[in-house]
Amino acid sequence: MRSVLKRTSALVLRRGLTTYQSTWWKNDSLFRVHPSISRALAENQPVVALESTIITHGMPYPHNLRTAKEVEAIVRAEGATPATVGIIKGKVHVGLSSEELDHLAQCTSSLKVSRRDLPHVISKGLSGGTTVSATMIAAHRAGIPVFVTGGIGGVHRDGENSLDISADLTELGKTPIAVISAGVKSILDIGRTLEFLETHGVCVATYGKSNNFPAFFSPQSGFTSSCQVGNPAEAAKLIASALSLGLHSGVLLAVPIPEEHAASGQQIEDAIQVAVAEASANGITGRDVTPFILQKVNDLTEGKSLQANIALIRNNARVGSQIACALSKQMNETELKGQTHSRNHSSCSESDVVVIGGINVDFIAKGKTKTIEFGQTNPGSVCQSFGGVGRNIADCLSRLDHRPLLISAIGADSNGDAVLNYCKHMNTSAVARLEEQSTATYCAVITESGELSLGLGDMDIHQQITEQYVSQFEKQLSSAKLVCLDGNIPVSTIDYVCGIAKKHNINVWYEPTDSEKACKPFLSDAWKSLSYSSPNLVELCTMNKTLGFPTPAVLPNSVEEVLSVAVTLSRPLLEHLHCVVVTLGAHGLLVCGEHDAGSVTLQPRKERKRRQLCAVHYPALTVTAEETMNVSGAGDSLAGALMAGILQQRDTDSCVRMGLLAARLSLASPHPISPTLTLDCVDPDKAPSQNRPKLTYRCID
């Protein structure tokens, strides 16, 4: 025999961000993203990557530090977040603090780090400034699409013989990121550089009124770009097109030097020719050429080249930030307008309940033996179904004569198509379809008796159910009778919805989904705006631990001890929550809340006041192992039916009865929510009266 309230857990193996190409970059000991960058990226705000060789090798101290901070200030002033990339003691940093900028600016042992140098510098724990290629790698892996620099490297003069070609060019050919620069320095072979970029499929565009390709200190090099963009919006469209096509190559946007600084360009160009000749005469080659020439040119022009260099970098930062902001705006508008499935706001407004949570495509593998032998093929059967906690609860409510608005996200893939086709009976108008994202999938391996042996989940897309996306449904949220939050969604989204609930006095049900996610609302005061929650005993422990309350080291087994612990752990939450429903597996269900006529009232309270609290224990209904087909949706069926009963203003016993019956149907179905679920088959007045549980009442206060 097995309880219909048995909650399953999943061992979730995360894929990582779609921009990640290898797992070692996710190791915090090697790759660190500054919190301000992580926050901006999570909220789909514009971020601009900046290189650090200009700090370590481009200018002398203190010009380098002052320029770096000025460039970051320009990026912020344009509405974007600067992310200077550098390597400090073997750690790749995306986004540097003020102290870290100071360190790089004054570190005399810093190395110039290109793609090839990354393994050496990291393995030795060294520090260095990242070149264009290394910065592109780090920015791309962090999910930053726009990178601003001074000028890129290229094919060196006589490169056809020396094969001295900058790694910047090959990186542009294989890393999908937009590089905003002032073109290529005239010390290089600009013609061959452009030919090399064309060979590697790099889109090169001039920013401005013409397609003349600039030569760093000069707005014209004598060569042209393949295309031209006149403003940030046009540049953003070009970048968005390149990223959407999945070409895996970059875009080079060449920004001419401002006219007021171009006048001294000829003097600087003359000095460059002298410096190039001197470098050749002195046998200076490789990576030493550029710093030698820059220093020589600065001496010959009495600092004018340095001033022009600084002005050029400032201008690139300004233009690049404007482009990043335009790109962010376009991508957000696309997500809000073009990536939702047939959004109909009139249908959204019909919903009296809103569910915010995940959608999964589930694969349930059930063995034909009592145990699963790992490392070999086991006899069994595999079936596909459609799940996700948020989807399941919305499905359950939909089958019980409600029309919940489901706010979620799926990929623009075949699994997403299948989900929408299966969920035609539901209101999916607020489900976003996201390009370059995979619909969440979950695979459960269960034994013959229905016990979970292993669960694997790919749930990254749930993090795209952001506060920004959900906020467009604020009208529906503020007028709903009940809002249900699935613990898979981001903390910031939970906090946002709790803020709306507090403002409009909305009832919120939090379904924690697993022990790790149970803590999310309790990381701040957001939990005080919750009305209901349905944790199991382990999740209830997590909630208490997060709030700083003591919890038992080992959970008991006997019914009396389990109930005692559940009551004790529920008590702190009831200071603010209206009701806590604790699922106890084989031991049944414990409903804790305000005492009302010998029971607990589930109906929302009209005012917050001192209450007499109590708990009622409902033993579990049972299902034989032979009847059990799928354990993944029983808890969600229970929660959904409880909510339906509350919305229908039923008494507590009737609500719980509905939940238990819905969960039993779920266990006997290959689908998380049984397609045969109807209001009639769980209606306490119509359903068979067998197995009606005996209740145990206890006072909490």
Side-chain angles (χ1 to χ4, degrees):
M1 306 293 284
R2 110 171 236 99
S3 163
V4 297
L5 300 176
K6 185 72 175 177
R7 186 187 296 273
T8 61
S9 61
L11 173 64
V12 179
L13 302 182
R14 293 177 56 83
R15 283 189 308 116
L17 295 174
T18 56
T19 52
Y20 279 36
Q21 297 172 343
S22 58
T23 57
W24 69 273
W25 285 93
K26 292 188 283 184
N27 187 335
D28 285 342
S29 66
L30 302 178
F31 183 71
R32 296 181 179 176
V33 179
H34 192 276
S36 65
I37 308 302
S38 297
R39 184 166 55 250
L41 291 172
E43 296 174 354
N44 296 324
Q45 298 300 311
V47 178
V48 174
L50 302 167
E51 61 151 296
S52 52
T53 50
I54 191 173
I55 303 172
T56 58
H57 294 79
M59 298 178 186
Y61 182 82
H63 297 290
N64 56 352
L65 178 61
R66 183 168 61 247
T67 300
K69 291 186 175 182
E70 287 176 352
V71 168
E72 288 198 344
I74 290 170
V75 173
R76 292 189 183 96
E78 293 294 337
T81 300
T84 302
V85 177
I87 301 178
I88 299 177
K89 298 180 180 178
K91 310 293 188 299
V92 180
H93 290 251
V94 178
L96 299 175
S97 66
S98 180
E99 293 75 16
E100 290 165 342
L101 279 173
D102 291 342
H103 171 77
L104 277 184
Q106 299 186 63
C107 181
T108 57
S109 60
S110 290
L111 300 177
K112 189 175 183 181
V113 184
S114 184
R115 169 184 273 269
R116 73 165 188 184
D117 308 302
L118 284 168
H120 167 68
V121 173
I122 289 173
S123 65
K124 294 294 185 180
L126 304 175
S127 297
T130 51
T131 64
V132 169
S133 65
T135 305
M136 287 178 69
I137 292 170
H140 173 53
R141 295 182 191 277
I144 304 171
V146 176
F147 162 40
V148 167
T149 184
I152 65 166
V155 178
H156 283 253
R157 298 186 182 190
D158 196 37
E160 68 275 20
N161 297 314
S162 68
L163 297 182
D164 191 351
I165 301 171
S166 172
D168 298 352
L169 304 187
T170 52
E171 202 63 52
L172 274 162
K174 58 189 174 186
T175 302
I177 194 168
V179 178
I180 316 298
S181 82
V184 180
K185 297 182 181 70
S186 60
I187 60 175
L188 303 170
D189 190 324
I190 297 176
R192 284 191 169 89
T193 296
L194 291 173
E195 289 290 344
F196 191 94
L197 289 171
E198 180 184 355
T199 299
H200 285 262
V202 179
C203 177
V204 178
T206 299
Y207 183 89
K209 298 178 180 179
S210 74
N211 65 343
N212 291 325
F213 188 79
F216 203 73
F217 292 118
S218 173
Q220 297 184 7
S221 65
F223 298 92
T224 58
S225 299
S226 57
C227 58
Q228 168 265 336
V229 290
N231 54 55
E234 289 183 11
K237 286 182 180 179
L238 179 69
I239 297 168
S241 297
L243 296 177
S244 298
L245 287 168
L247 300 177
H248 302 293
S249 55
V251 175
L252 176 62
L253 286 174
V255 183
I257 189 172
E259 293 182 4
E260 62 269 25
H261 296 282
S264 57
Q266 189 57 51
Q267 179 185 355
I268 297 172
E269 288 297 329
D270 293 342
I272 287 174
Q273 300 308 316
V274 173
V276 168
E278 188 170 330
S280 177
N282 293 335
I284 298 173
T285 59
R287 64 169 57 195
D288 296 327
V289 171
T290 299
F292 172 84
I293 291 176
L294 291 178
Q295 183 59 52
K296 187 66 178 178
V297 170
N298 186 57
D299 294 340
L300 292 172
T301 61
E302 298 180 344
K304 289 183 180 180
S305 66
L306 178 60
Q307 295 172 13
N309 196 6
I310 293 173
L312 177 148
I313 292 167
R314 288 172 178 165
N315 185 62
N316 288 356
R318 187 174 297 106
V319 172
S321 300
Q322 292 170 357
I323 293 172
C325 289
L327 178 62
S328 176
K329 180 180 179 182
Q330 287 184 20
M331 294 177 72
N332 287 332
E333 288 177 349
T334 299
E335 178 178 330
L336 297 180
K337 295 179 181 178
Q339 295 176 333
T340 56
H341 173 71
S342 303
R343 179 169 309 134
N344 185 326
H345 287 286
S346 62
S347 67
C348 292
S349 62
E350 298 172 0
S351 302
D352 60 352
V353 56
V354 177
V355 180
I356 308 173
I359 295 174
N360 302 337
V361 176
D362 292 341
F363 298 91
I364 308 299
K366 185 178 182 181
K368 294 183 177 180
T369 55
K370 292 183 179 179
T371 59
I372 302 294
E373 299 295 332
F374 290 92
Q376 67 182 51
T377 300
N378 293 263
S381 61
V382 179
C383 68
Q384 180 188 29
S385 60
F386 301 95
V389 174
R391 194 218 69 85
N392 288 347
I393 291 174
D395 189 353
C396 182
L397 285 163
S398 298
R399 297 181 189 277
L400 297 179
D401 291 355
H402 292 274
R403 186 168 172 76
L405 176 66
L406 174 60
I407 302 177
S408 190
I410 57 177
D413 52 18
S414 58
N415 282 333
D417 294 337
V419 166
L420 294 175
N421 184 60
Y422 181 80
C423 297
K424 288 180 179 178
H425 63 291
M426 299 166 55
N427 182 357
T428 58
S429 61
V431 176
R433 297 210 69 178
L434 306 181
E435 299 290 341
E436 299 185 3
Q437 294 280 344
S438 298
T439 300
T441 52
Y442 170 71
C443 179
V445 180
I446 61 177
T447 64
E448 182 183 32
S449 62
E451 296 291 337
L452 180 71
S453 291
L454 178 67
L456 300 176
D458 175 359
M459 312 291 188
D460 288 355
I461 196 170
H462 295 160
Q463 299 310 303
Q464 301 302 317
I465 310 172
T466 61
E467 172 187 350
Q468 183 177 19
Y469 179 71
V470 173
S471 66
Q472 67 180 304
F473 303 101
E474 182 171 342
K475 180 180 179 180
Q476 290 79 19
L477 290 169
S478 60
S479 61
K481 293 180 180 178
L482 181 67
V483 175
C484 176
L485 300 178
D486 159 353
N488 288 302
I489 64 178
V491 173
S492 58
T493 305
I494 293 173
D495 290 348
Y496 165 74
V497 175
C498 286
I500 295 294
K502 181 178 180 181
K503 180 179 178 181
H504 296 282
N505 195 27
I506 306 301
N507 292 289
V508 178
W509 183 299
Y510 180 61
E511 174 55 44
T513 71
D514 65 42
S515 58
E516 291 185 2
K517 301 181 180 80
C519 66
K520 288 185 175 181
F522 301 89
L523 296 171
S524 66
D525 284 342
W527 73 277
K528 296 179 181 179
S529 298
L530 300 177
S531 298
Y532 305 91
S533 188
S534 49
N536 62 21
L537 202 55
V538 176
E539 294 162 351
L540 189 56
C541 284
T542 298
M543 294 173 176
N544 276 261
K545 285 180 182 178
T546 306
L547 292 174
F549 295 112
T551 58
V554 179
L555 295 178
N557 293 316
S558 70
V559 175
E560 281 302 317
E561 289 177 326
V562 166
L563 293 177
S564 178
V565 168
V567 167
T568 301
L569 294 175
S570 297
R571 181 63 185 84
L573 305 188
L574 292 171
E575 288 295 325
H576 294 279
L577 270 69
H578 173 55
C579 185
V580 177
V581 179
V582 187
T583 57
L584 300 172
H587 296 310
L589 185 72
L590 186 71
V591 181
C592 306
E594 182 178 356
H595 175 266
D596 179 41
S599 184
V600 175
T601 177
L602 285 176
Q603 292 304 316
R605 50 182 165 167
K606 297 180 180 179
E607 57 181 331
R608 292 181 177 266
K609 60 181 180 179
R610 180 66 182 174
R611 306 169 294 163
Q612 181 183 357
L613 302 175
C614 67
V616 179
H617 174 229
Y618 293 81
L621 300 182
T622 55
V623 177
T624 64
E626 290 75 19
E627 292 175 313
T628 302
M629 296 186 65
N630 180 6
V631 298
S632 67
D636 301 335
S637 294
L638 172 76
L642 278 171
M643 293 178 208
I646 293 171
L647 291 166
Q648 294 162 17
Q649 298 185 335
R650 296 176 180 265
D651 63 78
T652 299
D653 289 352
S654 295
C655 291
V656 173
R657 177 73 173 165
M658 289 174 64
L660 293 173
L661 291 169
R664 186 166 65 179
L665 280 173
S666 172
L667 282 172
S669 169
H671 303 279
I673 306 300
S674 173
T676 64
L677 176 65
T678 64
L679 189 57
D680 283 345
C681 67
V682 298
D683 190 326
D685 299 327
K686 299 178 181 180
S689 60
Q690 61 185 7
N691 292 336
R692 187 176 294 277
K694 297 180 180 180
L695 309 183
T696 301
Y697 167 85
R698 64 180 63 198
C699 183
I700 295 180
D701 285 342

